[in-house]
Amino acid sequence: MKILIVEDDEFITEALRLVLTQQHYAVETAHDGEAAWELVQVFAYDLILLDVKLPKLDGISLCRRLRSRGYQMPILLITGQDSSHDRVVGLDAGADDYLVKPFDRDELVARVRALLRRGDLISAPVLEWGKLRLDPSSCEVTYDQQLIHLTPKEYALLELFLRNSRRVYSCSAILEHLWSFDKTPGEEAVRTQIKGLRQKLKAVGANDLIETVYGIGYRLKPLEAASISSVSEIGKQTQQQTLFAIAGVWHQFKERVSQQVTLIERAIIALLQEKLTDELRATAEYEAHTLAGSLGTFGVGEGSRIAKKIERIFQGNQPIEHETAGHLCQLVTALRQEIQRPETEVVKTHREETSALVLIIDSDRLLTEELAVAAHQQGIRVAVANSIITAREAIYRENPQVVLIDIAISSTIEDSLQLITKFHAQTPSVPVLVYTARDSFGDRLAVAKYGGRYFFQKSTPPAQVIAKVSQILQSSDRTVAKVMVVDDDPQILATVRSLLEPWGMKVTTLADPRHFWETLASALPDLLILDIKMPHISGIELCQVVRNDPLWGSLPIVFLTAYNDTDAVNQVFGAGADDFVSKPIVGPELVTRIVNRWERIKLLRNLAEIDPLTGVSNRQKAIQEFETFLKPGKADNQYLSLAMIRLDSLQQINLMHGYAKGDALLRRVGQLLQQFFHDEAIICRWAGAEFLVGMYGTSHSDGKARLSVVQEMLYQEFIADGTEFQLNFSIGFARYPENGTDLQSLYSAAMTALTPMQIAATYA
């Protein structure tokens, strides 16, 4: 759950942050109302703590603005005024609750929890999964109308699964969500709660509702089974998704693992012969430490535990007793047996292809074959779904980077539009192109509204359609996260790469920390992952140096380490780390933490690069992007044009109807430009009422058609009861290189080409 604190008193802000972070909430802060409004527009919050008296925009006005714009998150007002009149004003403005300063910590936490539970009722009064129902308002759980009596922890565990029904939770992730930091028990406590919850569900007929994902954790059993051949088959496919991603790593490094065990065996033989040197002992400790951190990732959990025991014996400088040496022999024999088990018992070998995947949703077999051939020539993989049902399954089974759909594949276009929305809502969002025989303005408008990017007629050659797919895949690199991983264990490096790359991240790996700075300078990462214990330079030392560097000091750093004791955790955060993940790696947990960090990075960038009113790039950001596209060679054999859109009547609208009306119109123009041009174009608010659209890979005629649709939508949306006025637009185009080869010359050409275009509309 993410909470925004809006308070201008720094002391109170820090007190609130401390209280809420101790309850494991993610907390953001803003010190005035306008800053809070900008944050809310670009980021989703589960709850807002709002002071009444704020600079720039007071809390009551902000509350009214949020409610008038459709924001439904719970709002808890905080104020020093304790009068019935003040409470009435706050509640009438749309607040959900009221808390008077000074407040009791426990009361604050209780009110926050109550509001978060209440907040979910806006969209889902009752959490359901098949016949299972959980009512947050009464805390009652039923299955097929039978009441289930759960302990508080069992209830919290079930609520966690229901609110995140498609996520797999490791034991450590469950501990983080359900227990406070200072009272966190061992993982056995989670298994005990899971067992108790399963028994109570089974008693009312809900068998196997919570399933174990081998080597990863627990989740609710999927319900998407009605339309597929075998429930167990698709369940197994989903369960193994993460393991498949790292199966090739195990196959590649299994021989190296055997060599590591051999080094440990040599040290034990030397110990028995009383010839153990400090160097050989350090080598054995290091190899055991590495195995303890990696084996569990590949399903050899017992091997990780054995290696950890061996590491502890070799640690330190105290002599190893002869009796302990005998125990070491037993441990290394057991370790050898673990890694030599039949490979199918460890992990199924499966090599994921790393090339991009396009999902084609079309029932025309001959056409899909032509598209597949064209895609193969571009180095793009293809998966085909011949119905809406199989396409829905593909959302969870496949990981497509682009979707190509015929909206006529279903008897009603609404089914196709809902599917487009589903892909658009994925994380990360999946671009959808429509390729259909249907051709009406209504269809094009509907596709654009629901998140579709392009609308191709089936008369368009398949090679041309796939060329656009390839173009979108290339343009998506502009927003991809760049991650740098530093770990001396090549198995860990390969595993992290295999886990993160399917999420569209570019991963740079480094095994020798002595080459850290040159690799950092060339990779320019958005996020850094470090191991603690490495030869030559430790991860702690690297973290400290990075934090003291003026250029890289704010780089997010996540530690990936086999050390998870209190001292190690304190040392990690003391060095300036943002987060840590324990080895052995649990795939979904690592991916979730990295993706969440990337979302946070994007938010901070947006605040610096995005125009807060319109949501498009500001001028400074646009200049940087234009310079990138206008570098020599970038525009070779590609369409590149610049469109200027100027709202000529803005000043008149502001004078006659107020600045709020004008701001609303500018905001909507920005939203529509983003909706119709997406990532393949540079969209910015250049100055005042001027917008620029740099169309890379979009023809002049296509760009002009899209701008016409934008105008048409503005015309349709702004028809309402009220005073009539004119929406006067001017639009001008400039082409590269005919009208110029730099931004200034293209801008001047577009300005010269401005042509007035009037839209009659009424606006209330």
Side-chain angles (χ1 to χ4, degrees):
M1 294 289 186
K2 189 173 289 293
I3 296 176
L4 175 64
I5 300 173
V6 191
E7 169 65 67
D8 61 328
D9 188 316
E10 293 185 5
F11 177 76
I12 294 177
T13 299
E14 288 306 310
L16 289 169
R17 182 202 294 273
L18 178 63
V19 170
L20 295 173
T21 52
Q22 286 177 344
Q23 298 298 314
H24 302 292
Y25 296 117
V27 178
E28 306 280 357
T29 63
H31 299 298
D32 62 71
E34 287 294 350
W37 171 242
E38 293 174 5
L39 279 172
V40 169
Q41 291 181 94
V42 297
F43 205 80
Y45 293 98
D46 299 293
L47 182 140
I48 297 178
L49 266 66
L50 181 60
D51 188 21
V52 172
K53 293 186 177 181
L54 292 168
K56 297 186 179 180
L57 181 68
D58 65 87
I60 299 297
S61 299
L62 176 58
C63 191
R64 289 195 181 106
R65 180 184 292 184
L66 289 167
R67 294 308 188 218
S68 67
R69 305 297 169 84
Y71 291 96
Q72 297 295 328
M73 75 283 285
I75 299 175
L76 174 59
L77 283 180
I78 300 176
T79 181
Q81 305 296 323
D82 186 16
S83 69
S84 59
H85 173 72
D86 292 326
R87 287 196 294 269
V88 169
V89 171
L91 295 173
D92 283 346
D96 297 270
D97 203 351
Y98 210 91
L99 193 60
V100 179
K101 304 175 187 176
F103 46 80
D104 180 76
R105 173 189 177 282
D106 292 337
E107 181 182 0
L108 168 68
V109 172
R111 287 177 183 266
V112 166
R113 286 175 177 166
L115 287 175
L116 287 172
R117 288 195 299 268
R118 192 186 310 170
D120 287 322
L121 301 179
I122 295 171
S123 59
V126 177
L127 301 173
E128 295 183 297
W129 194 252
K131 297 179 181 179
L132 181 68
R133 292 166 56 89
L134 184 149
D135 189 342
S137 62
S138 64
C139 295
E140 285 189 350
V141 178
T142 60
Y143 182 81
D144 199 15
Q145 300 183 347
Q146 301 177 72
L147 186 64
I148 307 174
H149 298 284
L150 301 176
T151 66
K153 273 291 185 285
E154 290 169 348
Y155 176 90
L157 182 60
L158 183 59
E159 184 179 20
L160 179 68
F161 286 139
L162 287 170
R163 292 190 187 280
N164 305 274
S165 57
R166 300 198 184 281
R167 177 176 168 181
V168 180
Y169 281 95
S170 66
C171 286
S172 59
I174 293 173
L175 287 171
E176 288 184 10
H177 280 83
L178 302 188
W179 276 271
S180 60
F181 180 77
D182 57 341
K183 296 181 180 179
T184 303
E187 294 186 357
E188 188 59 35
V190 174
R191 287 186 277 270
T192 300
Q193 295 296 332
I194 290 285
K195 181 179 179 181
L197 181 57
R198 279 173 167 168
Q199 289 175 343
K200 292 181 179 180
L201 291 172
K202 185 177 181 180
V204 294
N207 297 323
D208 302 324
L209 196 63
I210 298 174
E211 64 179 7
T212 302
V213 181
Y214 179 70
I216 302 177
Y218 306 95
R219 70 162 186 181
L220 289 178
K221 190 171 185 177
L223 295 177
E224 298 83 18
S227 61
I228 54 182
S229 59
S230 170
V231 178
S232 59
E233 180 182 350
I234 193 68
K236 289 177 182 177
Q237 290 175 348
T238 309
Q239 288 178 17
Q240 295 296 331
Q241 183 176 5
T242 302
L243 292 180
F244 282 169
I246 62 175
V249 180
W250 172 258
H251 185 72
Q252 180 182 355
F253 289 98
K254 188 175 180 181
E255 183 59 34
R256 181 181 180 276
V257 170
S258 179
Q259 293 172 1
Q260 289 177 284
V261 177
T262 299
L263 289 173
I264 297 173
E265 289 170 337
R266 289 177 184 173
I268 296 174
I269 292 172
L271 174 63
L272 293 172
Q273 296 174 349
E274 298 183 355
K275 296 180 181 179
L276 181 64
T277 63
D278 291 341
E279 182 181 357
L280 193 53
R281 178 172 181 166
T283 299
E285 179 192 345
Y286 172 76
E287 299 297 348
H289 172 78
T290 302
L291 291 171
S294 62
L295 288 178
T297 302
F298 305 101
V300 194
E302 182 60 25
S304 275
R305 287 186 283 273
I306 294 171
K308 189 66 177 176
K309 292 178 182 179
I310 295 174
E311 178 193 6
R312 287 171 180 166
I313 293 174
F314 278 112
Q315 281 175 342
N317 299 317
Q318 296 298 321
I320 301 175
E321 298 178 358
H322 190 271
E323 182 179 325
T324 305
H327 182 50
L328 274 173
C329 290
Q330 296 174 353
L331 289 174
V332 78
T333 299
L335 181 59
R336 177 69 72 181
Q337 291 174 347
E338 284 295 315
I339 67 168
Q340 288 181 343
R341 282 188 295 148
E343 188 165 331
T344 54
E345 294 181 21
V346 179
V347 66
K348 296 179 181 178
T349 301
H350 180 90
R351 187 174 298 275
E352 284 278 320
E353 294 183 68
T354 57
S355 58
L357 174 68
V358 58
L359 175 64
I360 301 174
I361 306 172
D362 200 315
S363 57
D364 188 332
R365 185 175 60 83
L366 293 177
L367 183 60
T368 55
E369 289 178 357
E370 291 182 38
L371 289 166
V373 170
H376 179 72
Q377 292 172 347
Q378 296 286 332
I380 301 171
R381 290 184 296 138
V382 168
V384 178
N386 55 18
S387 70
I388 289 289
I389 293 175
T390 53
R392 289 197 183 105
E393 297 166 13
I395 294 177
Y396 306 103
R397 188 177 63 248
E398 306 287 353
N399 185 34
Q401 281 73 57
V402 177
V403 171
L404 189 62
I405 183 174
D406 180 2
I407 55 174
I409 194 170
S410 178
S411 57
T412 61
I413 190 176
E414 285 74 19
D415 290 339
S416 299
L417 294 175
Q418 288 177 6
L419 193 61
I420 292 174
T421 303
K422 207 171 189 67
F423 280 109
H424 186 63
Q426 290 288 94
T427 304
S429 177
V430 180
V432 178
L433 288 74
V434 170
Y435 190 39
T436 184
R438 295 175 61 119
D439 185 23
S440 71
F441 179 78
D443 289 340
R444 292 175 179 266
L445 197 62
V447 166
K449 284 183 176 180
Y450 280 83
R453 293 201 176 186
Y454 286 94
F455 197 102
F456 290 100
Q457 284 249 270
K458 284 201 170 177
S459 57
T460 307
Q464 186 175 332
V465 177
I466 294 300
K468 176 56 69 176
V469 170
S470 177
Q471 208 170 79
I472 290 177
L473 289 170
Q474 293 172 13
S475 67
S476 66
D477 286 345
R478 289 189 289 153
T479 57
V480 74
K482 293 181 289 186
V483 179
M484 178 174 166
V485 190
V486 186
D487 196 306
D488 58 312
D489 186 347
Q491 295 167 248
I492 294 296
L493 295 177
T495 300
V496 174
R497 181 190 294 277
S498 68
L499 288 170
L500 297 183
E501 284 186 341
W503 286 80
M505 299 185 188
K506 285 189 174 181
V507 180
T508 300
T509 59
L510 177 65
D512 188 345
R514 290 176 294 181
H515 302 297
F516 177 77
W517 283 109
E518 54 264 41
T519 306
L520 186 73
S522 62
L524 300 175
D526 301 300
L527 184 140
L528 181 62
I529 299 177
L530 298 174
D531 186 20
I532 287 184
K533 187 174 182 179
M534 294 183 289
H536 310 297
I537 307 173
S538 72
I540 297 294
E541 291 170 328
L542 287 178
C543 183
Q544 291 170 334
V545 173
V546 169
R547 285 291 175 252
N548 290 328
D549 186 84
L551 179 62
W552 293 102
S554 60
L555 179 66
I557 299 175
V558 176
F559 271 86
L560 185 60
T561 177
Y563 295 107
N564 55 12
D565 56 277
T566 304
D567 290 340
V569 172
N570 291 337
Q571 192 178 14
V572 162
F573 286 112
D578 297 277
D579 202 352
F580 84 99
V581 179
S582 296
K583 298 177 184 176
I585 297 172
V586 177
E589 180 183 356
L590 175 65
V591 170
T592 299
R593 288 180 184 270
I594 300 304
V595 169
N596 287 344
R597 284 288 162 190
W598 172 234
E599 291 297 329
R600 170 67 174 166
I601 294 167
K602 288 195 292 184
L603 169 63
L604 295 176
R605 285 183 178 174
N606 284 344
L607 293 177
E609 300 173 349
I610 301 299
D611 176 54
L613 176 61
T614 61
V616 300
S617 297
N618 56 28
R619 185 193 299 186
Q620 182 179 359
K621 174 62 176 176
I623 290 174
Q624 295 173 356
E625 292 189 317
F626 276 118
E627 287 178 349
T628 299
F629 281 122
L630 290 172
K631 285 180 181 178
K634 276 288 184 181
D636 290 348
N637 301 318
Q638 296 285 352
Y639 296 113
L640 180 56
S641 57
L642 182 72
M644 176 183 291
I645 304 98
R646 188 175 69 191
L647 180 55
D648 299 315
S649 56
L650 179 64
Q651 185 175 1
Q652 180 184 3
I653 294 170
N654 286 336
L655 291 173
M656 295 181 61
H657 303 283
Y659 284 93
K661 304 288 187 182
D663 287 350
L665 183 57
L666 286 171
R667 185 180 300 109
R668 188 58 181 142
V669 171
Q671 292 171 346
L672 290 174
L673 290 176
Q674 288 179 302
Q675 183 175 335
F676 280 85
F677 287 94
H678 304 282
D679 294 336
E680 70 273 10
I682 302 170
I683 307 167
C684 81
R685 184 185 181 191
W686 190 253
E690 286 183 7
F691 292 83
L692 293 186
V693 180
M695 294 173 288
Y696 181 71
T698 302
S699 67
H700 176 82
S701 58
D702 187 15
K704 192 170 184 178
R706 295 193 207 186
L707 290 173
S708 297
V709 178
V710 170
Q711 294 181 74
E712 179 65 25
M713 289 190 68
L714 288 170
Y715 173 77
Q716 292 181 4
E717 292 181 11
F718 292 161
I719 294 179
D721 295 332
T723 305
E724 182 173 326
F725 64 83
Q726 298 292 323
L727 291 179
N728 297 321
F729 284 89
S730 293
I731 298 177
F733 284 90
R735 297 182 185 178
Y736 174 96
E738 295 96 315
N739 304 123
T741 56
D742 57 31
L743 179 57
Q744 183 59 48
S745 58
L746 289 171
Y747 175 85
S748 299
M751 176 71 77
T752 303
L754 280 174
T755 303
M757 197 164 187
Q758 192 177 79
I759 302 177
T762 58
Y763 191 85

